[in-house]
Amino acid sequence: MFFHDRGHTVQSQGQSQGQSQGKSQGRPQGKSGILPALLLFLAACGGEDSAPPPVVVAPVAVQSVSFGTSAIELLDDLNATALNVTVAPANADMSRLTIASSDPAVFTIDAQRNLTAVAAGTANVVVSNNGAQIATLPVTVRNVRLYSIGNSHTWDFRPYGDFLTLAGTLGISIENDWHIHCGSSLARILIEPDQTCVASQHGNFEVALAEVAYDIVTIQTFPGEVSGRDEAQAVIDMVARIRQSKSRDARIFVYFSWPTNLAPDLVSMDYAAMWESADITPDSLFPTTAAFVAHVRERLAAENVQVSGIIPTGAAFNSFHKRAAAGQIAGFQGAGQIYRDLGHVNNIGSFAASTSVLYSIFPRADLLQTDLNAIPGFAPKATDPTDRQWDEATRRAIISVVRDEVDASAIR
């Protein structure tokens, strides 16, 4: 029913409801039937406001591995070498990548990919992905090549055998040679290269340095027959000779030994008075003293001569002397008791010299692990009345003074 009101047509409420009910009970009307199906679909998907399911991205596989080198050479010297590993593509998944040594008896690899030599030999770095080997890198471990130039004070640290055994007890393997000119200064060694008093593999330093690429070279000073100034110049000249040789890349250490004993007997020797004497100048003829060491270091710095370090054996002897004189080392009154004559040292002195050389050039060495029982050369000899019996307190006292002096003398 319709009513006309002011020109508008208005449907009655009853009619509208009746018609609407009739239509809803009959056939579907247009798009109104789609709504329930849409609601059911949305409910099945988690509702109208649910987030879309996450996108799963497959990991990117490692296609190749490179090391920045075709091979690595390690020295058996306690030092670690970082391994450079690069994968391609750059976004590859490395979670299943493993890096290992094919022979841990030759070298090892730690979690930070540092390689450490164990013994001379050859092995490989092996890279595997999910258990499958994908790359290798050859590694060669060899002994450290050491060359020592000096006089009998160099021979007193026993490079011919006991020093090598001592290094071996700490995990360091050395093959070495030497140029020994007894009683000679370094200046004279430079002038008379053919003069030696101990046989060697290469005869003299000129031949050795020309034929072998040494890793380490020690050069010993011995002022007395020349002035301190001239001996300091000899150090500079010898460094230059080494840098022009096949051993140009060697680490060079200046070995400062000990002064000649001028006391009437070993016990009365005042080592500190000699070592710390101030009554000298660079132009004087004087033995190895603290002032001479300082002069050489000043000359090296002034002329920008680069060396890897010094070996402060004479300073270690002085520290030993002071502690012994103060009653801190049982059985010893001073450094005179580690001498065997005017210029050379007994078994205790040789051990002190050897450890000072060893710790200077291999600062990672744990000297407290030295095994004196494995080194018969440092045991007292019945034929030498100046040799002394070992005990643990003496060993620790020597190691203590050596470490203190080497650490204090480091070139930084």
Side-chain angles (χ1 to χ4, degrees), residues 133-172:
Q133 179 176 308
I134 59 173
T136 61
L137 177 69
V139 176
T140 300
V141 175
R142 66 170 176 81
N143 297 339
V144 179
R145 301 187 188 113
L146 169 67
Y147 194 75
S148 299
I149 303 171
N151 60 26
S152 53
H153 284 196
T154 290
W155 201 241
D156 272 355
F157 83 72
R158 304 187 178 183
Y160 50 87
D162 294 331
F163 176 78
L164 305 185
T165 306
L166 180 69
T169 66
L170 302 176
I172 303 168

Side-chain angles (χ1 to χ4, degrees), residues 144-148 163 174-177 214 216-218 361:
V144 179
R145 301 187 188 113
L146 169 67
Y147 194 75
S148 299
F163 176 78
I174 298 173
E175 57 185 56
N176 66 340
D177 198 12
Y214 289 98
I216 300 170
V217 179
T218 66
I361 62 181

Side-chain angles (χ1 to χ4, degrees), residues 21 26 46 95 149 200 214 226 229 241 269 281 327 343 364 369:
Q21 289 174 355
S95 62
I149 303 171
S200 63
Y214 289 98
V226 297
R229 192 182 304 278
R241 295 283 290 273
M269 173 185 179
T281 67
R364 293 171 61 94
Q369 299 301 315

